């Protein structure tokens, strides 16, 4: 997950794209299963690296 996040961020996504992605990941992480846990991990990594 960390590697995929770094690849995404290295592309220099704009603020709106990051905001949308963080909202989508928050919605995906609302359930209690493995995909939700991965979405939450990705959301946290992006938020930490972009201070959003």
């Amino acid at each position: 997950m960390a590697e995929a996040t770094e690849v995404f961020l290295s592309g220099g996504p704009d603020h709106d794209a990051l905001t949308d992605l963080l909202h989508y990941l928050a919605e995906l992480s609302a359930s209690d299963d493995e995909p939700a846990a991965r979405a939450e991990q990705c959301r946290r990594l992006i938020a930490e690296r972009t201070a959003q």
Side-chain angles (χ1 to χ4, degrees), residues 31-51:
S31 64
D32 192 26
D33 56 12
E34 182 61 26
R38 290 181 184 198
E40 177 59 18
Q41 180 185 16
C42 187
R43 188 199 64 73
R44 275 188 265 124
L45 288 169
I46 291 171
E48 289 170 3
R49 299 277 290 135
T50 62

Side-chain angles (χ1 to χ4, degrees), residues 10-36:
S10 72
D14 66 23
H15 177 74
D16 290 339
L18 285 172
T19 300
D20 288 346
L21 179 58
L22 289 170
H23 286 281
Y24 295 140
L25 289 169
E27 288 180 21
L28 288 170
S29 66
S31 64
D32 192 26
D33 56 12
E34 182 61 26

